[in-house]
Amino acid sequence: MHTSRISTILTLPMRWALLLGLFTFTSTACSKGVPAEEDHAEHGDHDEHGETEAHDDGDDEHSDHVELTQRQYDASEIMLTVAGPAEVHDSLILPGTVSTNADAVIHVTPRVSGQVRSVKKHLGEGVRAGELVCVLDSVELGDAAANYLRSRALVQAAEETLASEEELYAGRLQSLQTVLTGAIEIQEQIYEREKELQEKAVSTIRPMLEAHRAYQLARFERDKQITELEAARDARLLRLRVDVRARKIDLVAAENRLRTLGLTSEDLESLDEDSPIVSGEFQVLAPGDGVVVSRHISVGEFVEAGAKLYIIENLSSVWFVASAFEEQLQLVRSGQRAVVVLDAFPSVRLEGSVGFLDYHLDPRSRTVGARITLDNEELEAWPEDLPLRPGMFGHVELETLPRTAQVVIPEAALVHDDDETYVFVQVEPLAFERRDVTIRQVAGGRVEVLDGLEAGERVVVGGTFSLKSAERQEELGGGHSH
């Protein structure tokens, strides 16, 4: 009954008070060897140090401050620039594609009809101007060559006949002149003798008069015969010269016919009866340098004059045709500086200028083509011949009218991390601060900083990767970078 009463008296609050007193007594007894105040102070110092470290680590994890040692700074090869005002050109970014330079497209067509004997160039092969691409057998060419040789032979024969006749008539005239002059001299001697006898009164006057008459007739006969022979010569040579002239006209016509078929002066000079051209061999030559992009012939096929046998494209320069929407046209000008970046080579900047704006708007896309001509030179990113291939996609950055921006930095200073864009600002010789920035893209590899940076601050443009690595090391608990 006594026990039951005690249990009744010890209600729940009293039980908790009794247990608490017991725990206090036990704790005091266990710590009898070390003073409580000393233990508490020591424990307090330990807690305070732990809380401080935790707090510091928490701050470091979210800190934008990065410090380096001198060795780290030197190894990082950090480069700095001063943010400040500058004249900038806003950039207009337009999509586009690489296309063939239409001014450098060559259609290879024969000037005669004929049957394809052989094909020398195939799809994808490079060609040089004047290089043989195929051979035809042409009856038309054979006839033209034979006619030329005939005309040339006739001219040669006519010239030889003329020269022979000139020589013949010259000899006849000379002989006639000699004979008749001799006759005149004889008659003159007779006349002089009769005249002398007459003066000596040895002879009568009649023989002298007859001698004089014979002398005059001889002179007259000489002039007459020479004149007649010269007239006959002139008439004959005139006919021969007319014939030579006519033959030369025919030869020139035959020569021009061969020239229209593609033969050169060298070909005509070397043309003879044994030449393959006479048998109708027509060599089709490449009109210019380029690459065969299309072939439309096969051996044995008959082709007409003017048929399109090959298409050759000279890809040493190509066009990049950008598409500008109607609302963007006022920002696009001929001669505007342009930087092209292709999807295939994102690290390569190809510089040029807007050379032409289409006069017609594409009815489907509602855009106007802006043409930039690019030299198709070998690239380090892809050391292949003619790396700019028609059909490649990309974009072009066009410079608009200049204006003054208050804070401008190189694009290389930007660090992109997921959706964040920031820069590292030097706050002390070995200390840098991460600074989130709001930017606007401008031309020339620069950006305008709209927020987050002031003019005159020193910004890192080289070595940002090292600073980013040091920042990450701190976030992962690797300790301070210094």
Side-chain angles (χ1 to χ4, degrees), residues 453-469:
L453 195 63
E454 298 293 334
E457 292 188 296
R458 296 171 64 84
V459 181
V460 177
V461 293
T464 54
F465 179 77
S466 298
L467 292 176
K468 187 175 179 181
S469 298

Side-chain angles (χ1 to χ4, degrees), residues 92-97 320-334 336 354 356-372 394-396 398:
L92 176 63
I93 308 297
L94 300 176
T97 57
F320 183 84
V321 181
S323 299
F325 289 98
E326 294 178 79
E327 61 270 18
Q328 297 172 322
L329 284 180
Q330 57 185 340
L331 300 176
V332 183
R333 301 282 190 279
S334 295
Q336 198 169 11
V354 177
F356 177 75
L357 291 173
D358 285 346
Y359 290 105
H360 297 279
L361 193 75
D362 189 300
R364 291 179 296 178
S365 64
R366 307 302 300 168
T367 60
V368 169
R371 182 199 305 167
I372 298 102
H395 66 269
V396 62
L398 301 179

Side-chain angles (χ1 to χ4, degrees), residues 132-203:
L132 180 65
V133 295
C134 67
V135 179
L136 306 180
D137 286 325
S138 172
V139 175
E140 180 183 358
L141 176 62
D143 289 343
N147 183 51
Y148 171 78
L149 291 178
R150 178 177 176 275
S151 298
R152 190 170 68 180
L154 289 175
V155 168
Q156 183 178 357
E159 289 177 338
E160 291 175 353
T161 301
L162 175 61
S164 177
E165 289 289 320
E166 287 176 339
E167 185 178 356
L168 178 62
Y169 272 102
R172 291 177 63 183
L173 283 170
Q174 186 176 1
S175 298
L176 184 61
Q177 182 81 16
T178 302
V179 171
L180 295 178
T181 300
I184 292 173
E185 289 177 354
I186 292 172
Q187 292 298 327
E188 185 180 9
Q189 291 175 2
I190 295 173
Y191 169 68
E192 290 295 334
R193 187 186 63 182
E194 292 295 333
K195 183 180 179 181
E196 183 180 352
L197 291 174
Q198 175 63 33
E199 290 176 353
K200 292 180 179 181
V202 175
S203 176

